[in-house]
Amino acid sequence: MLRVQIDIPHPVETLFLLLATGGVWLWMSWDTPRSDQARASMVPVYQNAEPADGPARQRLGDGGADREARVLSVRSAEDEARRIRIEQAVLARREEILRYELKVIEDAAARSGDSVSVRAAREKLLALLADERTAEERLLQTLREMWEAEGLTATVAVGSPGDVHVLWPVEPDEGLSATFLDAGYEQRFGIPHNAIDIPVPQGSAIRSAADGVVDKIVDNGLGYSYIIVKHDGFATLYGHASVFFVAEGDTVRQGDVLAASGGMPGTPGAGTLTTGPHLHFEVIVEGERIDPLTVLPARTTVR
Ligand SMILES: [Zn+2]
């Protein structure tokens, strides 16, 4: 029988060397997944997500208590990948977005004679321009808030669509500052615009576009705040609300005042991705956001 004999001159030292090499190799091969985990932890909204094929579907139609969790659970992996790409695109634009907000604030200051709140918002924005990390976190926070709104409206507007009859929630006296899937909006902010933006002075009355029930009020402080009203087979969303005048569960008639408008950077409800004082208005039918102009009357009929 053939025997191979290997002489190891320093067996103990060699063993230590092998263990050390193996340890380094293991550490390096673990590094990549660890980075992925670190990145995932920047997106806490995803971490609550259950697998897409989980029991979420069966639970649709339950009461409202765990609805947020269900909304997050229907996110597919593909959806998450798309969102991460969008996040990166928005972060790449962060300085441009902040400079745009600064310009909006300065224009408002020039018109209003530089009030204290405008000056404070300007200071905050200048600080953000200097602080890259905080600016990134602020942009990502707004994106998450908008995605949460997207998920919520998709759940609210399930069921057979009724006759979508809506009126203008604010007077479109100045036209639109962003249309549905506005190319300029996507270019500026890096996300598709599934709504219309109607420029109105800060604090204008937002009226319910149709009879319905206030389904959701989300007050994110200086972040993106909004109100969702459920109608017969469809839903409407009113974004950048600065003050709310109704509560969840309230029955509202078409034309009832729901909230005060916002959108001025640095003010309640504005969030980071805003084109100045305006109402962001969405119409959701069967879980999909449609162009509100296809259902709104051609002329203003708001009281
Ligand atoms: Zn908008």
Side-chain angles (χ1 to χ4, degrees):
M1 187 191 251
L2 180 71
R3 287 182 61 184
V4 179
Q5 193 175 341
I6 302 170
D7 276 320
I8 303 175
H10 306 287
V12 177
E13 288 87 332
T14 307
L15 183 63
F16 272 115
L17 185 69
L18 281 171
L19 284 173
T21 309
V24 167
W25 181 81
L26 275 173
W27 179 79
M28 285 175 72
S29 58
W30 277 341
D31 191 46
T32 305
R34 224 177 28 222
S35 306
D36 285 349
Q37 276 171 16
R39 192 173 58 178
S41 70
M42 287 170 63
V43 193
V45 92
Y46 300 151
Q47 292 207 312
N48 300 330
E50 294 168 11
D53 55 353
R57 284 258 156 224
Q58 293 145 33
R59 290 210 313 271
L60 279 173
D62 285 5
D66 64 340
R67 196 176 60 192
E68 276 92 335
R70 273 185 283 129
V71 163
L72 292 173
S73 73
V74 297
R75 301 260 189 264
S76 68
E78 202 175 281
D79 219 19
E80 282 191 22
R82 183 179 70 88
R83 279 152 208 275
I84 287 169
R85 279 199 305 278
I86 289 175
E87 282 189 350
Q88 287 165 344
V90 170
L91 289 185
R93 289 172 168 85
R94 65 178 174 270
E95 186 167 339
E96 191 194 334
I97 292 170
L98 293 177
R99 287 196 183 283
Y100 178 77
E101 280 197 353
L102 190 58
K103 186 182 169 296
V104 171
I105 286 173
E106 283 170 344
D107 288 351
R111 279 198 304 275
S112 70
D114 203 12
S115 70
V116 173
S117 64
V118 167
R119 216 166 33 234
R122 187 178 184 278
E123 295 297 316
K124 210 172 274 179
L125 218 48
L126 285 171
L128 279 181
L129 273 169
D131 189 343
E132 201 168 302
R133 177 172 292 205
T134 311
E136 277 191 5
E137 282 168 6
R138 187 162 168 258
L139 282 170
L140 290 178
Q141 186 57 34
T142 300
L143 276 179
R144 284 172 209 141
E145 288 160 358
M146 294 178 86
W147 287 334
E148 190 184 49
E150 191 181 318
L152 287 173
T153 53
T155 327
V156 171
V158 291
S160 56
D163 194 16
V164 182
H165 175 65
V166 291
L167 292 183
W168 288 87
V170 292
E171 298 278 354
D173 289 340
E174 300 171 47
L176 302 180
S177 52
T179 55
F180 191 76
L181 300 179
D182 194 299
Y185 184 97
E186 180 151 8
Q187 201 173 18
R188 174 171 289 142
F189 295 123
I191 55 168
H193 191 243
N194 298 300
I196 54 171
D197 285 351
I198 313 166
V200 282
Q202 183 87 4
S204 298
I206 302 172
R207 295 173 186 279
S208 186
D211 294 350
V213 176
V214 177
D215 189 84
K216 195 83 192 168
I217 286 176
V218 179
D219 184 351
N220 280 318
L222 291 177
Y224 174 60
S225 300
Y226 54 94
I227 179 165
I228 299 170
V229 180
K230 184 176 172 57
H231 310 289
D232 186 16
F234 68 102
T236 49
L237 179 146
Y238 310 81
H240 307 297
S242 55
V243 185
F244 298 97
F245 299 132
V246 289
E248 287 179 7
D250 281 1
T251 299
V252 290
R253 306 289 298 178
Q254 188 173 53
D256 282 356
V257 176
L258 304 170
S261 73
M264 168 78 188
T267 61
T272 322
L273 307 172
T274 169
T275 52
H278 73 281
L279 172 69
H280 170 98
F281 181 55
E282 296 179 10
V283 177
I284 307 99
V285 182
E286 288 186 279
E288 295 293 327
R289 281 152 325 148
I290 64 162
D291 186 349
L293 290 184
T294 62
V295 287
L296 279 165
R299 276 186 298 158
T300 312
T301 43
V302 172
R303 277 157 279 171

